[in-house]
Amino acid sequence: MRSPRPSFALALALSALLVPLTGGCGGGASGADGPKTVTVTVGYQSKTINTVTAGTLLRSLGYFEQELAERGGRDGVTYKVDWQDYATGAPITAQMTAGKIDIGSMGDFPLLINAARGKELGQPTRLVSVTGYNLRGGLNTIVTAPGATYASLADLRGKKVSTSVGSAADGTLVRALQRAGIDPASGIQKLNQQPSVGASALQAGSADALSQFVAWPGQLAYEGKAKALYDGAELNLPTFHGVTVRQKFAAQRAGVLDDFLRAQHKATEYLRTRPVAAAESVAKETGLPPEVVYLYNGANGIATFDPALRPELLAALKEDVPVLKDAKLVGDVDVDAFVDPAPLKRAVPQAGYPAAAPARPELWLRNEPATRTFDTPAALLKALKGAGAAAVRAAYVPDAVTGTPWFADKAVWVAEGAELRAFVTPAGAKSYVDRHGGSGARIVGFAEAEGIAS
């Protein structure tokens, strides 16, 4: 057989040189895009609202596209972003290990599964930044139906509890049950369900409790469809969400990864400096009530947003590995090898903020561009009553022990003379009263607490 003519061989060689420009990023480039188009595929969770700086908010602000447009102007490539929305981290990991998603965001437990699956399937991934975190674990909550009479986790023994196995909320459930002396494997009937399915099961009565991550517990409580039974912050173990990237993509498109991290940092700045506007934007994009978004992402919200790979978060990640191993969801995970701080240091050398200050009571009034903060729960309740219900969008108060913010009218209140304290759960309030009964501490209703404050 004769060799190809020189001109044909030259054409093949030139075509080969163009391959890096048309593939290697998610689904690559379609023929309609042309020979110099790169598509970057980003997996995110719109309803998991403490990932918004790498997902929902970032997408709405267009910062990543702006960074890529500037890069394209320099290198002559057209960059496109394919945003793919998922309910949990598991499908993002499945798509990443199939080479179809380049960058994804998910919670700490799913991140470990992401690391394990990537290594097993020859598509290793790396943790490159954090989105939102809570140093005590307050991002996860166990809730029950509003009319349920359960007073503590001990009452869930033998009951049906819905969660998403392998999620951060499942990790909270397992640890909380263990501390309560309940075997997570046999002490309850665990229902492995997507968050929306679990929420419906709770309302239908086919689940006795629901353990889920941000923003499901807050949303259900706000809508009067659930009440808190266990505050994840009682574990006093950090929980967070972060950004993971396929190692091959990070090597081939280091500059694009830098662009993403710079864009994430800009979105973080926007959220931290304009929390009300950010909450309104995320609410519009997701359909969640803005008051629920603000509970988690507000100026005194449950989540603190900071892309830095803080050492206490990475230490907590290592403590999560045994929990997943016991559940036979992963084998050994080398956390140190999974974490790669170099891209963030390269892209945003100044990344990082001071540790979050203790949350303060906060009041969000209608027709006001900013919220009001208060030094004490009593001051909040006095202002709340004075404003009138029609003028109030939401009032938030931190738990007296864990610091977890909660809706003031959904909290459990304790009066100790003229002093008022709020708690996320009945068990938290009862524990305080049991310790301070001698000083007259007692549990009171919200209306009575308002009366004491005024």
Side-chain angles (χ1 to χ4, degrees):
M1 186 173 180
R2 295 177 60 186
S3 300
R5 289 175 297 173
S7 58
F8 182 57
L10 179 60
L12 288 175
L14 291 174
S15 296
L17 290 175
L18 289 174
V19 169
L21 294 176
T22 60
C25 292
S30 66
D33 290 335
K36 290 189 176 182
T37 297
V38 167
T39 299
V40 184
T41 306
V42 179
Y44 72 110
Q45 303 171 63
S46 63
K47 295 292 182 69
T48 307
I49 54 173
N50 62 319
T51 66
V52 295
T53 54
T56 306
L57 182 63
L58 176 59
R59 180 180 185 178
S60 67
L61 293 171
Y63 289 161
F64 188 30
E65 287 83 353
Q66 292 170 20
E67 292 282 340
L68 290 177
E70 293 180 11
R71 177 169 299 279
R74 296 192 299 269
D75 61 19
V77 175
T78 298
Y79 293 94
K80 294 184 177 181
V81 184
D82 178 14
W83 296 91
Q84 297 186 3
D85 188 8
Y86 296 90
T88 62
I92 297 177
T93 288
Q95 292 294 88
M96 291 186 77
T97 55
K100 296 180 179 180
I101 285 181
D102 304 308
I103 302 169
S105 55
M106 59 192 70
D108 41 16
F109 278 74
L111 281 168
L112 291 171
I113 295 174
N114 182 273
R117 297 288 184 271
K119 184 177 180 180
E120 291 169 5
L121 298 173
Q123 282 280 10
T125 56
R126 294 291 181 266
L127 174 63
V128 292
S129 69
V130 169
T131 56
Y133 71 88
N134 183 285
L135 290 179
R136 289 190 62 108
L139 297 173
N140 307 307
T141 312
I142 301 173
V143 298
T144 62
T149 57
Y150 307 127
S152 68
L153 280 180
D155 295 330
L156 292 184
R157 194 182 301 272
K159 303 299 183 181
K160 295 178 180 179
V161 182
S162 173
T163 192
S164 301
V165 172
S167 71
D170 183 30
T172 291
L173 175 63
V174 169
R175 283 177 163 143
L177 290 173
Q178 289 172 337
R179 289 194 182 184
I182 301 173
D183 185 342
S186 61
I188 63 166
Q189 300 177 58
K190 184 184 290 189
L191 307 178
N192 182 16
Q193 298 174 324
Q194 292 284 321
S196 59
V197 176
S200 297
L202 183 68
Q203 295 171 59
S206 55
D208 299 297
L210 172 73
S211 180
Q212 273 302 346
F213 47 78
V214 48
W216 287 97
Q219 179 184 356
L220 293 172
Y222 176 77
E223 295 173 345
K225 298 175 180 178
K227 63 180 180 181
L229 178 69
Y230 185 84
D231 174 6
E234 292 182 39
L235 290 174
N236 200 22
L237 292 171
T239 186
F240 70 97
H241 284 65
V243 175
T244 178
V245 61
R246 289 192 300 113
Q247 183 175 309
K248 291 179 181 177
F249 175 86
Q252 294 169 355
R253 301 288 180 189
V256 173
L257 177 58
D258 289 355
D259 292 338
F260 183 89
L261 294 173
R262 276 191 290 270
Q264 182 198 343
H265 184 259
K266 290 180 181 178
T268 304
E269 285 282 311
Y270 182 96
L271 184 146
R272 291 177 69 105
T273 57
R274 301 181 62 187
V276 171
E280 295 278 17
S281 174
V282 171
K284 181 180 179 181
E285 295 292 328
T286 61
L288 289 166
E291 295 84 359
V292 173
V293 177
Y294 197 84
L295 170 70
Y296 292 96
N297 295 5
N300 290 279
I302 299 175
T304 298
F305 287 84
D306 184 351
L309 294 160
R310 302 175 66 92
E312 55 266 59
L313 300 181
L314 302 184
L317 198 61
K318 294 179 180 179
E319 292 188 36
D320 294 340
V321 175
V323 178
L324 288 173
K325 286 183 68 175
D326 288 345
K328 296 181 172 53
L329 293 173
V330 301
D332 290 322
V333 179
D334 187 341
V335 173
D336 291 327
F338 175 51
V339 176
D340 185 3
L344 185 62
K345 290 180 179 179
R346 182 178 65 234
V348 192
Q350 74 276 21
Y353 300 90
R360 299 174 65 195
E362 198 168 2
L363 179 61
W364 190 359
L365 296 177
R366 301 185 189 281
N367 302 319
E368 288 196 3
T371 60
R372 303 179 185 182
T373 55
F374 301 87
D375 292 329
T376 66
L380 168 71
L381 291 187
K382 184 176 182 180
L384 180 61
K385 188 172 183 179
V392 177
R393 292 192 64 168
Y396 309 95
V397 63
D399 185 282
V401 174
T402 67
T404 303
W406 204 241
F407 297 109
D409 61 332
K410 310 297 183 185
V412 183
W413 288 87
V414 169
E416 193 170 0
E419 194 166 356
L420 292 166
R421 291 179 174 83
F423 298 84
V424 173
T425 67
K430 183 178 183 301
S431 176
Y432 183 88
V433 169
D434 288 346
R435 297 194 311 270
H436 297 83
S439 59
R442 59 191 178 91
I443 295 176
V444 298
F446 179 65
E448 185 176 352
E450 275 194 315
I452 294 171
S454 59

